[in-house]
Amino acid sequence: MADECCGPQEARPAADAGVERDYGPARLWDVRELRLAAVAAVLLAAGLVIPGRVGAGLQLASAVVGAASFVPGALRNLARRRVGVGTLMTIAAVGAVALGQVTEAAMLGVLFSIAEGLEHYAIARTRRGLRALLGLVPPTASVLRDGVEVQVAPDDLVLGDRMVLRPGERAATDGVILAGRTSLDLSAITGESVPVEAGPGDWVHAGAINGGGAIEVEVLARAADSSLARIVHIVEEAQDRKGGGQRLADRIARPLVPAIMGLAVLIAAVGLVADDPLVWVERALVVLVAASPCALAISIPLTVVAAVGAASRHGTLVKGGAALEELGRVGVVALDKTGTLTRNAPRVVDVVTAGEATRDDVLAAAAALEARSEHPLARAILAAAHTVPTASDVTAVAGHGLHGCVDGMTLRLGKPGWVPARELAADLERLQSAGATVVLVERADTLLGAIAVRDELRDEAPEVISRLHSMGIRTAMLTGDNTRTATALAAQAGIDTVHAELLPEDKATLLAELRAGRAIAMVGDGVNDAPALATADVGIAMGAMGTDVAIETADVALMGEDLRHLPQVLAHARHARTVMLQNVGLSLAIIGVLIPLAAFGVLGLATVVLVHESAEVLVILNAIRAAKTTALPGVTAASPATPQTLAVSVVSKGDSGGCCDAC
């Protein structure tokens, strides 16, 4: 931004977890440009009051002090053969002094320094929110070493340490609970206000507050590699990524600078054939200031920094300006079913047997095939089975199910249709109508029975769909599950349209069709939904806290498990995009109006400087509005949505086959 914007800006150090970074001035008075502006303003005021040479000298000193905030940087850029706004302002200031307009040159220095200082302070203020995240890590941690409890700095924790967390204390890094039960407050990280119950085997993330009894946690990550440090690292990188609007501003600003200089030379050349060359030279200098694209160059980056920083402090990672802008213009939203609309905690609700098979026979056969699967339905079946025989040659048939061998006999587990329902057809219809996902088990071509698994709808899902409807949003569901189960779930959630019994490739294809010229967002877990996430314009990972793959692959990551964050982040992005468009429009309008007025002498240097720098301050203040959020009960905030009609679809990650790999 140093080339196009209002003066030099030192390169920031690369983000690195665990490394202390300089986030810029914490107070207005700490901003160098604002201090120079204050000194220059005092000198200018004194020069205007004191008559004679002393007053003139004070005004000249004011111009020099004000110019100190941008002239050195402009000269350094020129040495690198880089021409920017600082160059334009330097030429204008030097030219004004040469023409005897010292007061105007001093005003230029004062106002330009104020605008530049406010810009640096605004960026530092939004970035400082990330330091607040790292501040969630306590200064010391209690660990048991050789049977003795000692206090160590978080950076001194090593893998395998046994960390002790008492009620009210924060976790210094990530780990797993070894002893004790408690409730964990993750509101500062995920944005959710409801504590999470946790016991042995459950994860504890850095920054989590122990809200219950004392627990012992095994350290599984260094403090510099914790989930919290990783979040800060990703957001810092994201704030530097450019979106389409930011690239547009750059494309306009970069050629505009040399074009402005050419226009100024042309105007000055008119003076060679005019009666008063000095008048046209003065107008050329005024045009340099009037056409400076400073406000345009900072309009998008500052908005992105404010919006991305605000989202990160409320449990949502938006990975850069491109993702933010795409999210702000989304016209279609697709949601995965399992773990997004549902709780991702399915359980076996019924087992129907066929022939002489028993309930245990059916569950054991199914568990043998599901033993190595990580799919939620597999976990439900394994939890319900008393015995798990060893299966061999287990193979997944995408979109259908699994087959393998146990004791020399072939087994098949899968969706109805792939495994015939035969005499259980009536039971199958009954279970599916009740909203259960049903898988059939077959041994040696003989039907053993049917297993009904149900993943309950999230409590907030109907509220989210209702909110989308209130915003004029049309809803639909895409799922690999059977039509009856999908229809039952859609009815509970209040979803309008159901598309069921789709294979994974059908879902990706349908996403492309649903786009219909509008940006489409896909909400999934970042792993099983990779094809759909790749097809969508914006990939959104749900419940991504601590999930490396989900955070890395998605454009947006919702760290918590509350589905209400989805409409909030959409509204927040729309609000930010509106601010971007306002800033770009205002910047271009100011340039378009001031150039002709300056070229024809309607406005003098003092007036143009005042209008130009005032517009820049207005753009800065408007950009900060992108950080504004509006709270809803029980969740963190996002800005109110602008009226816009969307189409929403719900995509399941192949939950009809009863197995992760098969679906």
Side-chain angles (χ1 to χ4, degrees), residues 623-640:
I624 295 175
R625 290 179 54 242
K628 180 181 179 182
T629 56
T630 302
L632 286 179
V635 287
T636 31
S639 303

Side-chain angles (χ1 to χ4, degrees), residues 167-352:
E169 293 182 343
R170 290 186 184 271
T173 188
D174 299 337
V176 64
I177 297 178
L178 296 177
R181 302 196 65 84
T182 187
S183 59
L184 299 174
D185 181 358
L186 301 174
S187 58
I189 306 170
T190 66
E192 296 175 3
S193 59
V194 179
V196 177
E197 297 298 322
D202 290 331
W203 268 84
V204 177
H205 296 289
I209 301 176
N210 180 12
I215 56 175
E216 295 181 10
V217 179
E218 180 184 359
V219 173
L220 297 182
R222 296 172 55 250
D225 300 325
S226 71
S227 55
L228 193 60
R230 188 172 65 253
I231 290 171
V232 174
H233 175 80
I234 291 174
V235 174
E236 285 174 340
E237 289 183 333
Q239 288 180 324
D240 292 331
R241 294 178 183 171
K242 293 185 177 181
Q246 186 171 346
R247 289 190 292 266
L248 173 63
D250 288 346
R251 287 198 300 268
I252 296 174
R254 286 197 180 105
L256 191 57
V257 171
I260 293 167
M261 297 182 70
L263 177 61
V265 171
L266 180 62
I267 293 174
V270 173
L272 296 177
V273 296
D275 295 334
D276 193 348
L278 290 180
V279 171
W280 288 96
V281 171
E282 178 184 343
R283 291 180 181 179
L285 295 175
V286 177
V287 167
L288 286 178
V289 177
S292 172
C294 186
L296 176 64
I298 69 171
S299 59
I300 303 299
L302 188 55
T303 305
V304 168
V305 169
V308 171
S312 69
R313 293 191 298 273
H314 292 81
T316 301
L317 301 186
V318 181
K319 298 172 70 172
L324 182 69
E325 291 179 47
E326 285 295 323
L327 196 63
R329 68 181 191 88
V330 160
V332 182
V333 178
L335 294 111
D336 162 61
K337 190 189 82 170
T338 304
T340 302
L341 280 174
T342 61
R343 298 175 183 173
N344 199 24
R347 59 187 180 87
V348 174
V349 294
D350 200 355
V351 177
V352 180

Side-chain angles (χ1 to χ4, degrees), residues 481-496:
D481 216 336
N482 65 84
T483 301
R484 292 190 185 92
T485 300
T487 302
L489 181 67
Q492 294 179 52
I495 298 172
D496 299 330

Side-chain angles (χ1 to χ4, degrees), residues 504-573:
E505 56 268 27
D506 297 331
K507 300 170 187 176
T509 301
L510 192 53
L511 281 179
E513 295 176 2
L514 287 173
R515 181 181 283 110
R518 295 171 293 181
I520 184 169
M522 170 67 196
V523 186
D525 64 4
V527 182
N528 294 333
D529 298 309
L533 287 169
T535 302
D537 295 297
V538 183
I540 304 176
M542 174 82 180
M545 183 63 188
T547 307
D548 292 330
V549 175
I551 294 177
E552 294 295 339
T553 58
D555 300 299
V556 178
L558 307 180
M559 307 310 295
E561 294 286 348
D562 195 323
L563 189 57
R564 287 175 292 182
H565 284 92
L566 176 62
Q568 287 182 324
V569 72
L570 287 171
H572 181 62

